Amino acid sequence: MSDANTGRGEIGRRSLIAGGIAAVTTAAVVSPAAADPATTTQPTEKLLGYSLPLSAKGTANIVSEPPWHYAGDVVGVEFWTTPTAAEAALPAGLTPDPNTSGHAYALFIDWQFSGSHQEYLDPVRSQYSEFLVLLDAQFQGRPVAWCPFIWVDNDAALARGWFQGFPKKLGAIRQTRAFSVPGQASPVVGPGGQFGASLSAAGRRLAEAQITLQSPSSTLPALGRPIVNLRHFPRLIAGQYDNPDVHELTQSVLDTPVVGNNWTGTSTLNFFAAPGEELADLTIVRTGAGFRGSLSYTVTTLKMLTGPDAG
Ligand SMILES: O=C(O)C(=O)/C=C/C=C/c1ccc([N+](=O)[O-])cc1
């Protein structure tokens, strides 16, 4: 029997013993301070992987270690919500940007992901779609973008998001595609080209947009601010639900970002109320530019703004 198996056996027996004590002792209070170091010290892990599920070979994890490479097509809409709604969506540590209060972007993205081994050759895993909102904010007086809500249609993308602090949920996201042949079934990527996009989740439509391209552009406007997220992992210990294990502001680090084929134009955008959702609380006062473009970058690290790794 290996050491690790012995360790698991010990833990199992202690649990049974503890259960026995609880069953026969009427007035016993088991103090956390009395915990045996043998039960609190981490055994050296023998299972492999960057994320759960750790496994014998280390290839079953839902997300393997960075680098994480991304390429995507973006359909975006600039919009303004009310200053009150924008402020209500910010976590502690972020403040509204007084210069651009209520300014935000809604982004629909068709992504292709890869690790270091041409994972794009497995499209059922590497392709996914995403919708997110980015709200202008400030961190210590610096302009940043806060992501209050984001949906994806792929489990690995959901987990990568949580590791970075993106508050991802599962949804269905679509955008009009363009093809490299002309025809009535696809828009031109050029003046007059029209693209639609939508988000739904749990059987409810939550967002829809349309844009009409007018002129080429050198940028994707939503890339102007660094994205700040909140890594949050709660405790599941009775009495400590409001004392999370992890609660720290992070800043996304995009290595070698490249944009191309950017167009800007006009837009429409609607959010729809649904049970269990607060997206529509970001009341759309008006929209600004509609835009479309392509984007690639790599993620290898995260800048920690608060918490034990900040500094
Ligand atoms: O890494 C992830 O898991 C993830 O969810 C990535 C989010 C991407 C955000 C983003 C921001 C700005 C633009 N832009 O400016 O068009 C496009 C995309």
Side-chain angles (χ1 to χ4, degrees):
M1 188 186 289
S2 74
D3 286 351
N5 282 338
T6 306
R8 277 204 298 275
E10 290 293 336
I11 291 166
R13 274 198 293 284
R14 284 176 200 286
S15 301
L16 284 175
I17 291 164
I21 290 170
V24 297
T25 308
T26 48
V29 175
V30 179
S31 160
D36 186 325
T39 61
T40 55
T41 303
Q42 285 288 357
T44 302
E45 184 50 64
K46 72 186 245 296
L47 294 178
L48 302 176
Y50 175 72
S51 65
L52 294 176
L54 303 182
S55 59
K57 294 179 192 156
T59 54
N61 50 185
I62 189 168
V63 174
S64 56
E65 66 180 29
W68 300 336
H69 305 287
Y70 301 85
D73 287 333
V74 179
V75 169
V77 174
E78 175 186 41
F79 72 98
W80 281 262
T81 187
T82 66
T84 306
E87 177 162 21
L90 297 180
L94 296 189
T95 52
D97 187 329
N99 306 308
T100 62
S101 188
H103 182 251
Y105 295 101
L107 301 168
F108 303 78
I109 311 175
D110 267 5
W111 282 120
Q112 185 158 283
F113 169 85
S114 193
S116 301
H117 306 285
Q118 290 184 296
E119 280 80 357
Y120 53 80
L121 295 177
D122 191 2
V124 72
R125 285 190 189 272
S126 63
Q127 292 177 12
Y128 67 100
S129 293
E130 179 171 86
F131 169 88
L132 71 156
V133 170
L134 293 176
L135 273 177
D136 286 9
Q138 287 190 345
F139 174 74
Q140 296 179 348
R142 280 194 297 121
V144 299
W146 163 250
C147 175
F149 302 115
I150 178 168
W151 286 261
V152 292
D153 62 3
N154 169 285
D155 58 357
L158 183 112
R160 277 194 306 272
W162 284 31
F163 301 157
Q164 299 171 81
F166 280 105
K168 285 182 182 175
K169 303 202 288 188
L170 289 178
I173 304 100
R174 292 291 180 134
Q175 64 174 255
T176 303
R177 295 187 289 186
F179 294 88
S180 55
V181 285
Q184 294 293 305
S186 70
V188 294
V189 182
Q194 292 187 288
F195 292 76
S198 66
L199 161 72
S200 66
R204 299 290 196 109
R205 181 161 286 209
L206 302 181
E208 63 188 17
Q210 281 191 21
I211 63 170
T212 303
L213 309 184
Q214 290 177 322
S215 46
S217 160
S218 58
T219 60
L220 276 172
L223 280 179
R225 291 166 178 250
I227 298 173
V228 170
N229 287 315
L230 182 61
R231 271 168 60 92
H232 176 93
F233 203 90
R235 279 196 169 79
L236 184 49
I237 299 171
Q240 295 200 57
Y241 302 155
D242 57 0
N243 178 28
D245 278 308
V246 175
H247 189 81
E248 53 202 15
L249 290 171
T250 69
Q251 181 176 315
S252 289
V253 179
L254 306 188
D255 297 338
T256 57
V258 182
V259 298
N261 293 308
N262 301 311
W263 289 81
T264 185
T266 59
S267 67
T268 65
L269 178 67
N270 283 107
F271 294 156
F272 304 100
E277 304 293 354
E278 297 179 38
L279 176 65
D281 291 353
L282 296 171
T283 309
I284 298 165
V285 176
R286 67 188 172 94
T287 67
F291 52 94
R292 184 181 185 277
S294 298
L295 166 67
S296 69
Y297 61 85
T298 296
V299 171
T300 58
T301 193
L302 203 51
K303 181 176 176 187
M304 308 307 298
L305 300 180
T306 65
D309 296 325

